Amino acid sequence: YLNSPESPIYHKSSILFGLHQHRQAIRQSSRAVIVEGNFDLLMLAAHGISNTVAPLGTALTAEQVRKLHGYCSEAVLLFDGDEAGMKAARRAVPLFLAERMEGRAALLPAGHDPDSFVREQGAEAMQELISTAQPLPEFIFDALVKEHGSTLAGKSRIMAELAELVKLAPEQAQKELMAAHWAGQLCIAASCLHPAIEAESRAAAQQV
């Protein structure tokens, strides 16, 4: 596999490896599994998991999610259980929000990628991992709690990272919903994650 550069006829940010071959399986299951590597995709396909796609040497893009949404209503991110995989999952949140598509995340055990996991554990274990994938917002929250802990300092860091994700939501209603959802889990005011909520509340009170 050669990770070719962009050209006038090749726009890797808009292409998903395997979509052409797997489009029928994706339509039938109404779910796509997104892996990071092309060889991961080939190994899953060899084990009968044929609703899989992969970005072509880049991070997942808005255009790729938009294209995928034409074939299914849900996508599961099947990323490596390392820091890079976690960052990729966080970056994907606003992409799915913008497309109004259900995004989920399944994190592989430490030291595994999809290739090694399906070789060692088999297709049934992989399908179980995919079927129990968490919705992205819950996955991100749980991962941040695990990373930073529940101390005062840890909650401050969690709050800062969640506030940045709220900012990335493309619509005001989504920002408010995300802020309210995560704020409830942290037992804080939603305005801590999205200050515009408090400003709007004050403005509404003044009008009354």
Side-chain angles (χ1 to χ4, degrees):
Y1 166 69
L2 179 64
N3 185 8
S4 307
E6 291 269 344
S7 74
I9 60 170
Y10 175 54
H11 305 285
K12 65 176 71 177
S13 62
S14 66
I15 298 172
L16 283 164
F17 180 63
L19 181 58
H20 176 72
Q21 294 85 352
H22 293 169
R23 64 191 186 280
Q24 293 303 328
I26 291 170
R27 280 198 180 107
Q28 289 171 5
S29 64
S30 196
R31 172 192 287 166
V33 178
I34 303 174
V35 295
E36 294 179 281
N38 297 337
F39 289 109
D40 292 326
L41 181 149
L42 294 172
M43 186 52 59
L44 291 183
H47 281 77
I49 303 172
S50 54
N51 58 332
T52 315
V53 295
L56 284 163
T58 67
L60 191 65
T61 67
E63 192 171 355
Q64 288 167 339
V65 173
R66 189 178 307 116
K67 183 172 290 187
L68 197 57
H69 200 188
Y71 294 88
C72 60
S73 59
E74 176 186 288
V76 175
L77 305 175
L78 185 61
F79 290 164
D80 300 354
D82 55 14
E83 185 178 353
M86 282 301 309
K87 287 181 178 178
R90 293 180 200 180
R91 286 195 300 266
V93 172
L95 305 182
F96 285 97
L97 288 171
E99 190 56 34
R100 295 184 177 276
M101 183 178 182
E102 177 75 15
R104 294 178 175 269
L107 200 61
L108 289 154
H112 277 293
D113 57 22
D115 182 346
S116 65
F117 184 86
V118 77
R119 284 174 184 268
E120 183 178 306
Q121 303 292 331
E124 187 174 341
M126 178 62 81
Q127 291 285 22
E128 176 66 18
L129 185 68
I130 292 168
S131 66
T132 56
Q134 281 185 292
L136 268 175
E138 280 67 38
F139 174 82
I140 296 299
F141 183 84
D142 289 350
L144 289 174
V145 170
K146 185 176 180 181
E147 179 180 353
H148 298 303
S150 56
T151 63
L152 181 60
K155 285 186 176 180
S156 294
R157 286 191 284 270
I158 292 169
M159 188 173 71
E161 293 201 40
L162 291 178
E164 289 302 312
L165 283 175
V166 170
K167 287 180 185 177
L168 295 174
E171 297 179 4
Q172 181 65 18
Q174 290 174 325
K175 294 179 191 291
E176 294 181 8
L177 184 61
M178 291 169 65
H181 178 69
W182 282 327
Q185 292 177 293
L186 286 171
C187 298
I188 59 175
S191 57
C192 294
L193 298 179
H194 186 44
I197 293 175
E198 185 175 355
E200 289 173 1
S201 298
R202 287 199 303 267
Q206 291 172 356
Q207 289 176 357
V208 173

